[in-house]
Amino acid sequence: MSRFFSSRYEALTPYTPGEQPQERQFIKLNTNESPFPPSPFAQRMAREAAGDLQLYSDPTCRLLVETASSKWGVDPEEILFSNGSDEILYFSFLAFCDEKRPAVFPDITYGFYPVFAQLAGIAYEEIPLDENFRVRIPDYFGCGKTVFIANPNAPTGIALSKEEIEHILSSNPDSVVIIDEAYVDFGGESVMPLIKKYKNLVVIGTFSKSRSMAGARLGFAVADQALIRDLNTVKYSFNPYNINRMTMAAGTGALIDEAYFKRNCATICENRRYLTEALAKLGFETLPSSANFIFTKNAKLSGRDYYEKLKEKGVLVRWFSKKRLEDHVRISIGSREEIDILLKKTAEILEEEK
Ligand SMILES: *Cc1c(COP(=O)(O)O)cnc(C)c1O
C-alpha cells in the first residue's frame, strides 16, 4: 500500500479471481467458463461492429434491450445491461443499501458480495448455510435488509425453488431482494417472470457462462421499472458507455441464436451427469448441482492435494481454503474430452495415493 492510498480502503481485501495462466496450456476447469466458443452468428455481429469503434457505443443499448425484451417477455424499461454482471451487482449495493438497510447474504456464496459491500462502505451480515450446504430460507424472512442470493448458489451448485424465493420476496416487502442467476440456465428455475408481481425483486444474469461470452463482459438486471431507473442513476453517474460496441453486437447475436445456446446448455447438463457418475465410481461425493460446475470431495484425498496434483498433471480446478470448503474442489463442466482427461488423471492420483 502506498502512503497515498485512501484510508477508506485500508482494510479492503480484493476478490481473488481463479487462475488465468497465459503461458502453459492447461485443461481449464477452474473458472466456470464455457468449453464452447460463442455462437458463430454472435461472432459475426461483433466483427461487423468493430468497423464502427471510432464512435461511442449506444448508452441505452437499444437494439440489445429490444431483442432481450422480445425474447424474455419483459418491457424494455425493465431491463438494464452492464459490463459483466459483477458491475450491476456492485451498482445494486450502491443503489439499494445504506446505513438503515445493510446487506445480507449466505456465508458461503459468490466471493464478490463481501468485497462489493466493503468497497461501497456498506455493513453486511453473513448467514451460515445449513449442514447440507443449503440456504436456510426462514433466516431471510422479514429480515429488513437488502438480500443477495445466488441461485443456483456458488460454489455449491445447489438451487432454490421458485416457491422458496417467493417466500423471501413476500416476507420482505420493504427490502430489495437481488437474485443472482449466473448459473440458472443449467437446470435452475428463473424468477424473472416474478418481477411483475414483486416490485422488490431484481434478477441479475450474465452472458459469461451459458452464452460463452466471459471475455466480452456482458451482464444484465431485470426488475420493476422504478428499480431499473435507480440502477440507471448509478450507471449514468459512473460510466454511460459501459458496454462496448462489439460486446453489444455479440450479445444481440447470442440472443437471436437461441438454438445454439440451448444445445450447449443441454450438453453441459449431460456432461455434468456423466462426470458426477464417473467420479462416484472413484469414491467422490458430489453435491446436487444445477450449475455448470460441481462441488465434490473424496474421503481419501484432501481438497488441496487433489487440486495441486491435478495442476501438476495439467488440469486446473478451483480449491477454496475456507474452513468449511477445504475438503472439496469445484470442477467446471468442460467438454467430454476435457472430462475424460480429468477422470484419467484423477484415477492416476488415487492410485499414487495408495
Ligand atoms: C460468474 C459469476 C458472476 C459474474 O459474472 P460476470 O462475468 O461478471 O458476468 C456473478 N455471480 C456469480 C454467482 C458468478 O458465479
Side-chain angles (χ1 to χ4, degrees):
M1 195 191 308
S2 84
R3 64 196 164 90
F4 306 107
F5 194 50
S6 167
S7 58
R8 277 199 297 265
Y9 305 128
E10 269 168 6
L12 182 66
T13 314
Y15 177 73
T16 314
E19 298 161 271
Q20 301 289 0
Q22 306 296 324
E23 55 311 335
R24 180 173 164 195
Q25 278 295 325
F26 282 95
I27 305 278
K28 249 187 117 289
L29 303 175
N30 66 328
T31 48
N32 300 342
E33 290 142 322
S34 172
F36 312 114
S39 142
F41 182 62
Q43 292 186 46
R44 199 169 81 217
M45 287 194 64
R47 275 195 299 274
E48 281 168 16
D52 292 324
L53 283 177
Q54 75 280 17
L55 302 171
Y56 279 112
S57 57
D58 171 11
T60 69
C61 302
R62 194 178 58 84
L63 185 58
L64 179 58
V65 166
E66 280 173 4
T67 309
S69 165
S70 72
K71 291 278 176 196
W72 299 339
V74 296
D75 299 336
E77 297 75 22
E78 294 168 332
I79 304 174
L80 180 62
F81 280 92
S82 59
N83 189 319
S85 61
D86 288 338
E87 185 184 60
I88 213 152
L89 281 164
Y90 182 53
F91 288 174
S92 303
F93 277 90
L94 294 173
F96 304 124
C97 298
D98 55 30
E99 294 76 38
K100 291 206 195 73
R101 282 163 307 188
V104 63
F105 39 81
D107 65 337
I108 293 169
T109 188
Y110 189 34
F112 239 130
Y113 300 161
V115 179
F116 284 148
Q118 287 168 43
L119 184 63
I122 287 153
Y124 61 95
E125 182 191 352
E126 296 175 290
I127 299 185
L129 297 183
D130 74 11
E131 66 281 6
N132 300 316
F133 290 97
R134 287 190 57 92
V135 175
R136 266 199 305 245
I137 299 302
D139 291 348
Y140 298 85
F141 290 173
C143 67
K145 301 186 172 88
T146 303
V147 180
F148 289 82
I149 287 185
N151 188 47
N153 197 12
T156 64
I158 297 175
L160 296 174
S161 69
K162 199 166 160 185
E163 289 70 36
E164 289 177 297
I165 291 171
E166 271 206 86
H167 277 302
I168 299 178
L169 283 163
S170 58
S171 68
N172 285 290
D174 298 320
S175 309
V176 174
V177 175
I178 292 111
I179 304 297
D180 177 355
E181 296 191 341
Y183 300 106
V184 80
D185 300 319
F186 304 105
E189 189 180 8
S190 177
V191 292
M192 203 188 276
L194 294 181
I195 62 151
K196 309 269 183 195
K197 187 168 171 193
Y198 297 99
K199 307 293 175 191
N200 59 332
L201 168 62
V202 179
V203 179
I204 289 183
T206 178
F207 281 46
S208 292
K209 278 88 188 216
S210 56
R211 295 189 194 266
S212 307
M213 283 177 48
R217 314 305 302 128
L218 188 62
F220 58 89
V222 175
D224 181 61
Q225 296 190 17
L227 297 181
I228 293 297
R229 275 198 301 275
D230 294 340
L231 288 167
N232 260 313
T233 300
V234 174
K235 164 185 153 158
Y236 281 89
S237 305
F238 173 67
N239 182 7
Y241 308 110
N242 55 345
I243 302 163
N244 71 74
R245 283 178 170 270
M246 292 170 72
T247 293
M248 223 180 275
T252 307
L255 283 171
I256 293 169
D257 194 356
E258 204 165 352
Y260 181 83
F261 154 77
K262 287 200 166 142
R263 204 174 336 121
N264 286 345
C265 291
T267 305
I268 293 293
C269 292
E270 213 174 281
N271 290 358
R272 181 177 65 211
R273 182 160 28 82
Y274 172 72
L275 173 62
T276 307
E277 283 170 11
L279 284 176
K281 289 189 186 124
L282 295 170
F284 282 80
E285 259 182 80
T286 303
L287 294 180
S289 171
S290 302
N292 68 339
F293 58 84
I294 56 165
F295 202 53
T296 192
K297 68 170 179 184
N298 188 312
K300 295 208 178 72
L301 200 58
S302 81
R304 182 179 197 149
D305 281 351
Y306 183 37
Y307 155 74
E308 282 175 352
K309 295 198 158 115
L310 277 176
K311 189 171 176 181
E312 279 165 24
K313 292 176 185 286
V315 180
L316 276 184
V317 298
R318 189 94 195 254
W319 175 72
F320 300 93
S321 59
K322 202 169 176 167
K323 198 88 203 122
R324 266 190 87 191
L325 304 181
E326 65 183 3
D327 293 342
H328 290 77
V329 299
R330 190 193 70 190
I331 306 175
S332 306
I333 307 300
S335 65
R336 193 49 195 264
E337 294 70 34
E338 290 170 322
I339 291 173
D340 283 330
I341 294 169
L342 170 97
L343 288 169
K344 182 163 165 276
K345 305 289 180 194
T346 301
E348 284 172 21
I349 291 166
L350 287 167
E351 196 55 41
E352 288 158 17
E353 285 290 294
K354 274 187 186 156

